[in-house]
Amino acid sequence: MSIHVENIAKRFGRFVALDHVTLDFPTGELVGLLGPSGCGKTTLLRIIAGLESADGGQVLLDGENASDAHVRERQVGFVFQHYALFRHMTVFDNVAFGLRVKPRGQRPAADRIRQRVAELLDLVQLSALANRYPTQLSGGQRQRIALARALAVEPRVLLLDEPFGALDAKVRKELRRWLRTLHDALHITSIFVTHDQEEALEVSDRVVVMNHGHVEQVDAPEQVYEHPATPFVYDFLGAVNLFHGRVHGHHLHVGADHLPVGQHSFATGAEALGCVRPHELEIATDPSEPAGIEARVERVLSFGSTSRVELTGADRDVRRYYEVELSRERIAGLQLAAGQVVRLKPVRVRLFASSQAVEASV
Amino acid sequence: MSAGAARVLPGFPLALGYTLVYLSLIVLVPLSAVFLKSATQGWESFWVAISTPRVVASYQLTYGVSLLAAAINAVFGLIFAWVLVRYTFPGKRIVDALVDLPFALPTAVAGIALTAIYAGNGWLGQWLQPLGIKVAFTPLGILVALIFIGLPFVVRTVQPVLEDLSTELEEAAASLGADRWQTFHRVVLPPVLPALLTGFALAFARAVGEYGSVIFIAGNVPMVSEITPLLIITKLEQFDYPGATAIAAVMLVTSFILLFMINGLQAWANRSHGGG
Amino acid sequence: MGAAVATHWTVHSRRFEASAATREPAWVRGILIAIALAFFALFLLLPLVTVFAEALRKGWGVYFAALVDPDARSAIFLTLLVAAIAVPLNLVFGVSAAWAIAKFNFRGKQLLTTLIDLPFSVSPVVAGLIFVLLFGAQGWFGPWLIEHDVKIIFAVPGLVLATVFVTFPFVARELIPLMEAQGQEEEEAAIVLGASGWQTFWRVTLPNIKWGLLYGVILCNARAMGEFGAVSVVSGHIRGRTNTMPLYVEILYNEYNFAAAFAVASLLALLALLTLVVKSLVGMAGPAADECRSGTLKGIP
């Protein structure tokens, strides 16, 4: 089932949680709602579920306006952040709950319920734990039971609120892969909320990046990472080096230095913000090199497949920090020493107007 | 969140409506009767009713002894809670369970039992009498009764806070060179203080209004050992409704003040206790 | 109030006794324990023992004779009757108040919570007086009641009203913090899964609060059966008609019939002991456990 939200607005007192958000969630996709805490992603999820009512705008499920439908009638599956398992019921009774509370006419027979619950427990690979209570399960197991419970009523969409938020790193990773596999098998339209960019990029078909109640970018994971639409997205999805300056021809003038920036649409003299990922910077040790930003090496961290170089701006009045990621071979070739003055040369720069830069610095 | 939840979870209008109606019928309307009745009798007669020497003596006795009892309970209640939380000793479970006895034992039963103990021929009274200490039928007897009924308020308010204290704080203090007493009054006591004051205030509020456990042991001599609640009953028995109502109004006002003070203290306790 | 606090004697003391940094010297410990136990013996144990000792002073024959006396039996019956009416009333109120306060946000919530506590801080004597002012012969509704031959004061309805007033907050006080701690996620989950309001309440909310509810009811019942001051004002002390057990104890005592007075008092003391036993059992398996479980589910240590 497709979901379309149109112009959704929501405030809590004076706090604007959602600022007229319009989004499309096509049938069968697994979409990640990504953003820092307080960006409105959970509120949006709860509004789609019908757990929260919007101040304005519409929620369309399969093209039908569901804004006034009660959460009971929307046929959504919701997995709560802390699972909200019924603690006085066994795993089996938890999963069976949705079927048992159906009106008498639609309620399956007891046999059918038992069979259906068994199937679901099989699906989440926890058949052996049917008679346990939620407190006797690990976090990852609770998460899977919560999912099985939501799936029992055959929802048209599946909504997951920070599904891996309360789990430790190792279990998170495992469950991430598991959720992806499960979605590929069921193809149910799903939205999950997360503040973890790695999680969003790894699991989703598409990522919606949100900030301050509005959508910054909607794209495939690679697109979002490789071609961020705003400085905020740049910053939120990984490390970034920022260069504030003015555009002159094919260069960005930053203090006394200048960076080559290639093609762009900025007028000469316009203020701009250049964003460069750490792996998109080169280090030149030759002091006569004219282009690039002057910087001083603070320390070199070598572990794993790449090395990281931390630098500060050469101008000591304005403390600026830079980070460069290079292969270990390259680092070995450069023979950097702490305190050495070098020049940073970007392989690729993405320019943003300075008005957006204000937000990036938030 | 709950603006939306108000729509999702059902029953809010019914639950709140029922709560308000029931609260009004049982508590608010009847209590307002005291003030309305007081207002209709005229200021002068009201003032006379609440300021005759006998009534003033009863205030002094009631509030004074209640304060003393609450203070004694604060000290011993803290020791009691400390011992229950920190030490193991035989019979601890029974001692812990019986702390609540004054909550559960009807006050009249407590009253006659305490009187039997402290009367001149009673279990303890017969030993105290020759020493010149008269407990029963004197203000001292009232003190004993009020200590009895107030004890659990202090213990049960302080105990959970003591239980929640992290041992790390004290270990840190010890590692920084503090001795046990310094650690206690600089590190342990400050976070416990709001709860201790709350317990003190609760014990005091309860003691002020107490009737059942006191009247048997008090002797009820006007100007000496007659508590304010008893005076209200005496006035009622003489069909002096305006007099009884006026004194009740004074007691109610102090109750309200105490209630709001206790609320403030509890809010403070919750804050400094990290929300429990 | 303090009574609402669940007691757990688990392993707290061991935690503190384990380290030299959180332990006092043995002699300090000894003195503190001695002070606490002396205080305990003097103020708690001795009165309790006295009740039973005095009740049995003249032997079992006198004891049982005092209990089967018609006036005693009618006092016992009346006490049970009053509690049987007052406790369910406050139970229903407590659940509905806790539902409104713990599960929803609304203006004036804090004030409402404070007002619910109000009866705790009102002297029992004043609690009785207010109903005399309303329904007594000289009260607001007095003339109307006399005209229609309805007796409230000096009759059972007055006893019930006064008892309802003094036991008013018990159940609500127990449930509000418990239900607030449990949040509303489980109820939301039930509704998302298609449960109706009643189904959610009966199948999800009630099982989660059953221990806290029982706890509140026990305390409410103990106070309802033992209340003295408030019912004393509205009862009129009519023997065999409007005397509850505590009032009957007073009458016997004032007639210097000490053995009988303590015999009836011993029944009330047994009730108190039973209350404490059940309270301890529930406290161990109950509210604390409810909260712990909600705590672990939410990942709170």
Side-chain angles (χ1 to χ4, degrees):
Chain A
M1 189 183 69
S2 72
I3 304 168
H4 178 71
V5 298
E6 178 80 42
N7 221 8
I8 293 283
K10 175 80 182 175
R11 18 168 89 238
F12 295 106
R14 298 171 67 185
F15 175 73
V16 179
L18 292 171
D19 186 11
H20 302 281
V21 170
T22 299
L23 276 171
D24 250 318
F25 302 91
T27 307
E29 275 197 0
L30 175 55
V31 179
L33 280 183
L34 174 66
S37 60
C39 74
K41 54 194 192 302
T42 293
T43 307
L44 182 61
L45 196 75
R46 289 173 63 89
I47 287 174
I48 294 171
L51 288 168
E52 203 91 56
S53 54
D55 299 336
Q58 294 185 332
V59 176
L60 283 83
L61 302 177
D62 255 347
E64 266 176 62
N65 187 355
S67 304
D68 296 324
H70 191 272
V71 50
R72 258 193 300 274
E73 299 153 8
R74 293 197 190 185
Q75 288 178 276
V76 295
F78 199 99
V79 177
F80 289 82
Q81 187 174 3
H82 303 291
Y83 324 126
L85 292 177
F86 306 128
R87 68 199 90 157
H88 61 285
M89 295 182 195
T90 61
V91 162
F92 184 95
D93 291 334
N94 260 285
V95 178
F97 183 87
L99 300 170
R100 286 177 177 163
V101 296
K102 279 183 191 291
R104 208 160 295 238
Q106 301 163 29
R107 196 184 307 159
D111 281 1
R112 179 75 194 103
I113 292 179
R114 206 170 306 132
Q115 191 188 339
R116 176 86 184 120
V117 174
E119 285 167 21
L120 283 160
L121 289 179
D122 223 29
L123 180 72
V124 299
Q125 300 154 5
L126 288 175
S127 304
L129 304 180
N131 293 319
R132 297 273 185 91
Y133 284 89
T135 38
Q136 298 168 306
L137 304 181
S138 72
Q141 290 169 335
R142 284 181 204 165
Q143 178 60 272
R144 285 190 275 168
I145 294 302
L147 197 60
R149 184 178 70 176
L151 290 172
V153 290
E154 294 175 354
R156 299 189 292 171
V157 291
L158 193 56
L159 308 172
L160 306 103
D161 185 7
E162 295 274 4
F164 314 117
L167 302 170
D168 57 55
K170 192 162 174 289
V171 182
R172 275 175 102 110
K173 204 135 189 153
E174 245 172 64
L175 270 181
R176 234 141 71 181
R177 194 167 313 143
W178 177 78
L179 177 67
R180 184 66 237 185
T181 322
L182 190 74
H183 182 263
D184 290 341
L186 298 174
H187 278 297
I188 175 170
T189 312
S190 309
I191 306 174
F192 77 101
V193 155
T194 179
H195 62 266
D196 180 333
Q197 38 114 353
E198 200 184 316
E199 198 166 288
L201 297 178
E202 195 177 303
V203 179
S204 344
D205 293 318
R206 285 199 310 151
V207 177
V208 175
V209 186
M210 293 184 66
N211 186 30
H212 288 316
H214 56 252
V215 174
E216 297 269 336
Q217 188 172 6
V218 185
D219 249 320
E222 317 79 67
Q223 287 293 315
V224 172
Y225 188 78
E226 290 298 332
H227 304 287
T230 65
F232 171 81
V233 180
Y234 235 116
D235 191 39
F236 195 72
L237 277 94
V240 66
N241 295 291
L242 299 175
F243 300 96
H244 295 264
R246 276 178 197 283
V247 177
H248 286 283
H250 291 298
H251 289 274
L252 180 69
H253 286 251
V254 182
D257 302 323
H258 58 91
L259 295 171
V261 291
Q263 292 295 328
H264 62 81
S265 56
F266 285 82
T268 287
E271 272 191 54
L273 175 71
C275 294
V276 186
R277 294 253 185 249
H279 64 86
E280 294 170 341
L281 276 177
E282 260 294 331
I283 291 179
T285 47
D286 178 5
S288 62
E289 171 72 43
I293 301 287
E294 208 176 46
R296 187 185 315 274
V297 175
E298 289 289 324
R299 49 184 200 146
V300 180
L301 300 162
S302 287
F303 39 74
S305 58
T306 59
S307 296
R308 227 167 65 218
V309 186
E310 293 177 358
L311 309 100
T312 53
D315 180 359
R316 296 210 172 226
D317 296 339
V318 206
R319 294 293 274 186
R320 292 197 180 283
Y321 297 91
Y322 303 111
E323 197 180 308
V324 179
E325 214 175 280
L326 296 169
S327 70
R328 298 189 69 155
E329 295 76 33
R330 180 88 182 100
I331 283 286
L334 283 170
Q335 301 221 315
L336 296 173
Q340 185 180 351
V341 175
V342 297
R343 282 199 178 269
L344 300 177
K345 291 176 62 182
V347 179
R348 197 178 72 158
V349 182
R350 186 71 204 273
L351 282 184
F352 294 97
S354 264
S355 59
Q356 284 175 294
V358 179
E359 249 174 274
S361 64
V362 169
Chain B
M1 296 243 162
S2 45
R7 202 170 59 92
V8 172
L9 295 190
F12 178 64
L14 178 68
L16 186 66
Y18 181 72
T19 301
L20 290 177
V21 169
Y22 190 78
L23 175 73
S24 303
L25 287 181
I26 300 290
V27 179
L28 301 182
V29 172
L31 281 179
S32 66
V34 171
F35 296 108
L36 291 172
K37 203 95 180 172
S38 301
T40 55
Q41 62 175 285
W43 174 249
E44 206 154 309
S45 72
F46 178 81
W47 179 252
V48 169
I50 64 167
S51 63
T52 60
R54 183 171 167 191
V55 179
V56 172
S58 85
Y59 298 150
Q60 286 169 346
L61 178 73
T62 306
Y63 290 91
V65 178
S66 296
L67 208 58
L68 188 58
I72 291 171
N73 273 330
V75 174
F76 286 93
L78 178 62
I79 294 174
F80 216 114
W82 181 272
V83 166
L84 284 178
V85 172
R86 300 264 172 156
Y87 307 145
T88 37
F89 53 90
K92 178 171 158 178
R93 283 178 59 152
I94 292 170
V95 171
D96 189 304
L98 278 181
V99 167
D100 286 327
L101 182 70
F103 283 148
L105 192 70
T107 52
V109 177
I112 62 170
L114 290 172
T115 312
I117 294 168
Y118 291 101
N121 58 353
W123 291 23
L124 286 177
Q126 59 180 316
W127 304 104
L128 295 173
Q129 190 112 313
L131 303 173
I133 304 170
K134 265 195 71 143
V135 178
F137 317 123
T138 70
L140 197 56
I142 302 177
L143 181 69
V144 169
L146 294 184
I147 290 173
F148 172 81
I149 58 136
L151 178 68
F153 288 98
V154 176
V155 177
R156 292 304 190 221
T157 317
V158 170
Q159 198 175 9
V161 181
L162 280 178
E163 279 171 355
D164 282 356
L165 280 186
S166 152
T167 51
E168 279 178 17
L169 288 178
E170 286 165 64
E171 284 166 354
S175 74
L176 293 167
D179 66 32
R180 214 37 212 144
W181 173 247
Q182 287 170 322
T183 304
F184 173 74
H185 80 100
R186 290 180 186 227
V187 176
V188 177
L189 197 55
V192 175
L193 198 61
L196 187 61
L197 282 175
T198 306
F200 168 82
L202 287 170
F204 176 67
R206 171 69 199 265
V208 166
E210 180 56 21
Y211 175 71
S213 61
V214 174
I215 51 154
F216 295 98
I217 202 171
N220 308 325
V221 182
M223 307 295 295
V224 178
S225 59
E226 185 179 52
I227 55 167
T228 312
L230 177 66
L231 208 52
I232 294 177
I233 291 206
T234 312
K235 299 247 177 208
L236 272 181
E237 280 168 357
Q238 296 161 352
F239 299 102
D240 178 6
Y241 284 69
T245 311
I247 300 171
V250 172
M251 292 206 72
L252 267 184
V253 169
T254 43
S255 303
F256 293 161
I257 294 170
L258 279 170
L259 181 66
F260 281 100
M261 272 174 51
I262 289 165
N263 262 18
L265 278 171
Q266 267 165 344
W268 178 37
N270 284 339
R271 269 200 312 279
S272 58
H273 185 199
Chain C
M1 310 205 146
V5 178
T7 57
H8 10 214
W9 26 55
T10 44
V11 284
H12 289 291
S13 48
R14 235 166 279 156
R15 185 162 68 98
F16 292 107
E17 283 169 335
S19 154
T22 53
R23 197 172 51 197
E24 289 74 35
W27 63 271
V28 176
R29 254 179 296 165
I31 289 175
L32 289 179
I33 292 177
I35 292 173
L37 287 182
F39 205 76
F40 169 77
L42 190 62
F43 282 98
L44 298 174
L45 199 56
L46 189 56
L48 188 62
V49 173
T50 303
V51 173
F52 294 103
E54 291 287 332
L56 295 171
R57 183 177 275 223
K58 296 198 175 146
W60 289 95
V62 175
Y63 181 79
F64 285 118
L67 295 183
V68 297
D69 181 274
D71 285 349
R73 281 191 299 188
S74 87
I76 294 169
F77 173 75
L78 187 58
T79 297
L80 294 174
L81 176 70
V82 168
I85 300 171
V87 174
L89 282 176
N90 284 338
L91 170 67
V92 173
F93 162 73
V95 172
S96 88
W99 180 263
I101 289 173
K103 302 284 181 191
F104 301 90
N105 266 336
F106 53 93
R107 204 181 279 265
K109 178 161 149 169
Q110 195 51 51
L111 179 68
L112 180 60
T113 315
T114 305
L115 287 177
I116 288 174
D117 277 351
L118 201 54
F120 270 154
S121 56
V122 172
S123 171
V125 171
V126 178
L129 171 77
I130 56 179
F131 293 105
V132 174
L133 292 181
L134 286 182
F135 305 115
Q138 300 181 28
W140 284 354
F141 304 110
W144 188 89
L145 291 171
I146 292 169
E147 204 175 297
H148 292 81
D149 200 23
V150 181
K151 265 190 93 68
I152 292 183
I153 300 306
F154 306 145
V156 176
L159 297 174
V160 171
L161 276 174
T163 306
V164 167
F165 182 95
V166 295
T167 59
F168 185 85
F170 277 102
V171 178
R173 276 204 67 94
E174 204 55 54
L175 291 185
I176 291 169
L178 179 62
M179 281 165 72
E180 273 176 347
Q182 289 178 347
Q184 52 200 36
E185 261 199 357
E186 284 187 43
E187 279 82 6
E188 284 179 356
I191 302 258
V192 175
L193 290 167
S196 72
W198 281 115
Q199 282 173 323
T200 304
F201 178 77
W202 286 106
R203 293 178 182 227
V204 176
T205 307
L206 205 56
N208 277 339
I209 59 168
K210 61 174 187 279
W211 293 112
L213 196 66
L214 181 58
Y215 200 83
V217 165
I218 293 165
L219 295 177
C220 183
N221 179 62
R223 182 71 195 267
M225 291 192 174
E227 179 51 29
F228 176 72
V231 293
S232 168
V233 176
V234 295
S235 131
H237 306 278
I238 306 163
R239 252 197 145 124
R241 297 267 307 281
T242 62
N243 270 341
T244 61
M245 288 166 77
L247 296 176
Y248 186 57
V249 168
E250 182 196 21
I251 289 183
L252 292 171
Y253 189 83
N254 287 342
E255 289 170 348
Y256 301 101
N257 192 350
F258 293 142
F262 277 102
V264 179
S266 74
L267 285 187
L268 289 168
L270 279 176
L271 170 74
L273 286 178
L274 188 68
T275 302
L276 293 185
V277 169
V278 179
K279 184 171 175 288
S280 300
L281 293 177
V282 173
M284 275 187 291
D290 279 343
E291 279 164 45
C292 285
R293 271 179 285 161
S294 75
T296 47
L297 275 184
K298 287 189 180 142
I300 302 160

